[in-house]
Amino acid sequence: AQSVSQHNHHVILSEAASLELGCNYSYGGTVNLFWYVQYPGQHLQLLLKYFSGDPLVKGIKGFEAEFIKSKFSFNLRKPSVQWSDTAEYFCAVNEPGSARQLTFGSGTQLTVLP
Amino acid sequence: EAGVAQSPRYKIIEKRQSVAFWCNPISGHATLYWYQQILGQGPKLLIQFQNNGVVDDSQLPKDRFSAERLKGVDSTLKIQPAKLEDSAVYLCASSLARTGSNNSPLHFGNGTRLTVT
């Protein structure tokens, strides 16, 4: 069975600081990887996804993530965060072509101080 | 396009009572999902429908939870009777096809926050 670990439960940064949120998954086969974001009072939104190809994927709002297969990781990064990035971030994984649906991590709450 | 609609937004009930949640997916989306998100955890899939058929309900506590999507469009999720540990946000999501497809991301609704006292 797949599982996803997000080790940072709450991250607090000042504006303009660089961000890296960790995501590790456990599954031996090929995976699709996702980052979702949930802004306060809003629904979950897709931030970026990796299916295949270039392991460095770019998403909306200046976010990017790098898939490192050897480390089973898909860390989310942003070089300079803004107050508006305050949100909860979820990493998720699923198996390509399978009906099995997304397995989510427990989430990381990011608070950006103005 | 209109998003995934869910109602109610909030619900407070006593344990052993019944409750139902409603979801209307994005028009044309064949696949509909119900997720449970307990505070401090990520969403957990309860059930997945493809049109009006169940694809995966392996994590649905069938002794108390039920869901249907009779006409392949909107869906209801019911809990009867509710327990304290059912307190959570219940999220509905839809997609054009299975998540494994490159062009079928999940679109989530705002969820229903259930408090069982």
Side-chain angles (χ1 to χ4, degrees):
Chain A
Q2 302 160 352
S3 67
V4 180
S5 296
Q6 293 181 248
H7 303 293
N8 308 106
H9 296 294
H10 196 178
V11 172
I12 302 174
L13 297 173
S14 298
E15 275 195 314
S18 64
L19 169 72
E20 182 161 3
L21 301 182
C23 172
N24 289 91
Y25 66 93
S26 66
Y27 182 69
T30 305
V31 292
N32 295 328
L33 294 155
F34 307 79
W35 276 98
Y36 280 81
V37 60
Q38 188 168 26
Y39 298 103
Q42 296 187 26
H43 58 273
L44 276 163
Q45 303 172 47
L46 182 64
L47 200 54
L48 50 79
K49 61 183 184 290
Y50 171 79
F51 287 152
S52 63
D54 188 345
L56 183 63
V57 291
K58 296 189 183 298
I60 59 173
K61 304 184 179 184
F63 285 90
E64 64 179 32
E66 185 176 13
F67 170 51
I68 302 179
K69 189 174 181 179
S70 61
K71 295 184 177 180
F72 297 91
S73 70
F74 190 57
N75 292 354
L76 181 71
R77 300 195 293 248
K78 186 171 184 178
S80 176
V81 294
Q82 300 173 314
W83 176 78
S84 58
D85 293 325
T86 294
E88 189 153 21
Y89 293 80
F90 293 92
C91 183
V93 62
N94 87 326
E95 183 182 358
S98 167
R100 183 178 300 139
Q101 288 316 306
L102 291 176
T103 300
F104 284 86
S106 57
T108 297
Q109 175 64 47
L110 171 65
T111 301
V112 180
L113 303 175
Chain B
E1 63 181 5
V4 176
Q6 288 189 248
S7 67
R9 286 296 305 272
Y10 306 94
K11 190 72 177 179
I12 301 174
I13 62 172
E14 295 182 351
K15 59 184 179 183
R16 291 188 290 274
Q17 285 187 321
S18 302
V19 65
F21 314 125
W22 175 82
C23 171
N24 193 18
I26 293 173
S27 178
H29 280 196
T31 310
L32 184 147
Y33 315 79
W34 283 101
Y35 282 85
Q36 180 194 56
Q37 186 176 12
I38 293 172
L39 188 65
Q41 300 180 21
K44 182 187 81 173
L45 179 71
L46 291 175
I47 188 167
Q48 176 193 346
F49 292 95
Q50 184 83 13
N51 297 310
N52 62 348
V54 175
V55 174
D56 183 357
D57 63 357
S58 57
Q59 298 190 89
L60 187 73
K62 298 181 186 63
D63 57 333
R64 298 183 300 106
F65 286 64
S66 64
E68 59 184 17
R69 194 185 184 199
L70 294 176
K71 297 182 179 179
V73 180
D74 57 348
S75 175
T76 56
L77 175 69
K78 297 179 182 177
I79 308 175
Q80 180 179 5
K83 293 185 176 181
L84 295 177
E85 58 262 35
D86 297 332
S87 293
V89 176
Y90 290 85
L91 298 168
C92 180
S94 70
S95 69
L96 277 171
R98 294 174 178 175
T99 305
S101 167
N102 286 13
N103 295 318
S104 296
L106 265 64
H107 297 261
F108 285 87
N110 285 327
T112 296
R113 183 177 297 277
L114 173 68
T115 302
V116 182
T117 62

